[in-house]
Amino acid sequence: MADWDAIILGAGAAGMMCAAVAGQRGRRVLLIDHADQPGKKILISGGGRCNFTNVDTAADRYLSANPHFAKSALGRYSAQDFIALVDSYGIAWHEKTLGQLFCDGSAKQIVAMLEEECAKGRVTMALGQPIADVAHGDGLYRVTVGGVEHCAPALVLATGGPSIPKMGATGFAYDVARQFGLSIIQPRPALVPFTLGADEALFQALSGVSADVMVRWNKMRFREAALFTHRGLSGPAMLQISSYWQHRTPIHVDFLPDHDADWLIEAKRERPRASLRKIVAQALTERLADALLERAGVQGEMGNLSDKALRQLGARLHDWPFAPTGTEGYAKAEVTVGGIATAGLSSRTMEASKVPGLYAIGEAVDVTGWLGGYNFQWAWASGWAAAQAV
C-alpha cells in the first residue's frame, strides 16, 4: 500500500512549488528535506530580498544541452503567473534593472507564501532528517527517513545541485538519478566569480572598484557591472559570462562600451595639452585608468602621442583580454550548470521517460538560467509542470 501519492525530495523553490500545487490538486504529498527549515537558499537570494522572477523570461536565456527543453514548462507557467501568486499574498515588490523583480521587504515573505500554499494543499513536511535510502519495486518508490519507510508511486527529485555547500547543497539528486539509470551532464559551477593569476596581480590593487562593461566570450555578450576583487573578477557581468566560459580560454572586456573607436583621437584634437591619464580617468575612474594605462605602457600629454598609439590603446580598452585561471568554485557559485540530462525527461511533465513515476525538477536538471531571477522562474515552472502529472 502507498502511504502517499507523491514523495518530493528537497524543500527548496522547485520542491515547495511542486508540493503545493500537487497537494492542492488533491494529491497526498510528503515533502522531505535534510535541512531543518524549508527554502534556505531562497532566504539568502537577492541579498535577502529574493529576486523571485524576471519579466523577460524566455527559453533562450537558459543553458542546456537541449536549448528547447525549457520552452514547454516556461510557456505553461510564466513569470506573470508567479507574480499573480505573489500579488495575491499582498507581497510588495519592485523591478530593478533588466526585468529583475525583488521583494520590497524580505525573502522570508516568499518562503512564508510557499509554506502557506503547501498548508492549503495539506502537504506533510519531514524536515531536519537525512534520507537513509531510496529504492523502487512493485511500482512504488520507497524512501527511508528517520527510521521510517515511506511509499509512493511518484518520486520527485528537487534537491538542486552542489552550489553553495555551506547551505547543505550536495549532488544527492545526481546519485539517485544514476541509481535509476538516468544520465548526468557533467556539472560545473555557474554564476561564479573568476580568479586571476599572478601575471595579472596588478589588478588586485583595484579590489572594490566596479565599472560598467561589455564582457564577451565567443558569441555571448553581457552589458552589466564588473567588480575587481582581491582574487579576480566578479560583479553581474562576470557572473553571467562565467556560465558559458571554458577553462584556458580568455574573456574580453570592453571598458568603454559607449565610446566609439576613435574617441581618444578626437579628445587629442580638442584637448592636446591634457594628459592621457586625465582623459581616460574621466571616462573610467582614476584607479582603473591608472592600472590599465600602466599595463598598456602608454602615458603622456595627448598632443605628444601619435594617432596610431591612441588608436591602439583605444582598441585595447574596447577589447581587453583577461585569462582567468579558474573560478571560485561551488563555494561561491550561485547555481550549477549541467545535471540530470534532459534527453531522458519529458519536457511537458519532467518525468523520466524510461523510469515511470520518477521526476526531476529545478536546479537538479540540466537547465540553468541567467543571473536575475531566471533560475527561480525555472524552479516555479518545472515544479508546476511536474505537479500536474504526479
Side-chain angles (χ1 to χ4, degrees), residues 14 107 109 115 157 186 189 193 201 203 246-247 266 328 355 358 378:
Q109 295 171 285
E115 286 182 291
L157 303 180
Q186 181 63 42
F203 295 104
Q246 291 173 6
H247 273 281
E266 292 162 16
E328 294 200 27
V355 192
L358 181 65
W378 170 246

Side-chain angles (χ1 to χ4, degrees), residues 374-390:
Y374 293 99
N375 289 295
F376 273 126
Q377 187 55 41
W378 170 246
W380 316 136
S382 60
W384 184 91
Q388 305 304 310
V390 296

Side-chain angles (χ1 to χ4, degrees), residues 143-162:
V143 179
T144 305
V145 60
V148 179
E149 185 181 82
H150 299 275
C151 302
L155 179 68
V156 183
L157 303 180
T159 55

Side-chain angles (χ1 to χ4, degrees), residues 77-149:
Y77 190 87
S78 69
Q80 298 306 324
D81 291 321
F82 192 76
I83 292 166
L85 178 62
V86 170
D87 286 345
S88 75
Y89 276 78
I91 298 172
W93 53 268
H94 57 280
E95 182 175 339
K96 279 195 176 178
T97 55
L98 305 171
Q100 303 170 18
L101 304 191
F102 289 78
C103 297
D104 286 0
S106 163
K108 292 176 183 174
Q109 295 171 285
I110 299 294
V111 175
M113 176 189 80
L114 292 168
E115 286 182 291
E116 178 60 28
E117 285 292 295
C118 284
K120 286 179 183 175
R122 295 195 169 93
V123 172
T124 299
M125 292 194 191
L127 303 176
Q129 300 180 28
I131 296 157
D133 187 53
V134 178
H136 182 254
D138 303 324
L140 292 177
Y141 291 89
R142 293 179 169 80
V143 179
T144 305
V145 60
V148 179
E149 185 181 82

Side-chain angles (χ1 to χ4, degrees), residues 202-279:
L202 163 75
F203 295 104
Q204 288 181 351
L206 293 175
S207 184
V209 171
S210 70
D212 176 41
V213 305
M214 177 80 79
V215 63
R216 174 176 64 82
W217 184 82
N218 282 2
K219 293 180 180 177
M220 288 308 301
R221 295 168 184 268
F222 291 98
R223 169 83 185 262
E224 284 197 69
L227 173 70
F228 288 92
T229 72
H230 66 287
R231 297 192 64 189
L233 297 165
S234 187
M238 296 302 160
L239 298 185
Q240 293 280 38
I241 211 73
S242 74
S243 297
Y244 295 86
W245 177 75
Q246 291 173 6
H247 273 281
R248 291 184 285 281
T249 61
I251 56 171
H252 296 265
V253 177
D254 182 350
F255 283 106
L256 297 162
D258 292 327
H259 288 64
D260 64 29
D262 286 340
W263 74 280
L264 283 171
I265 293 168
E266 292 162 16
K268 169 183 166 178
R269 295 203 178 105
E270 290 169 11
R271 301 168 65 191
R273 304 292 296 278
S275 70
L276 173 64
R277 178 183 180 273
K278 185 169 187 179
I279 295 293

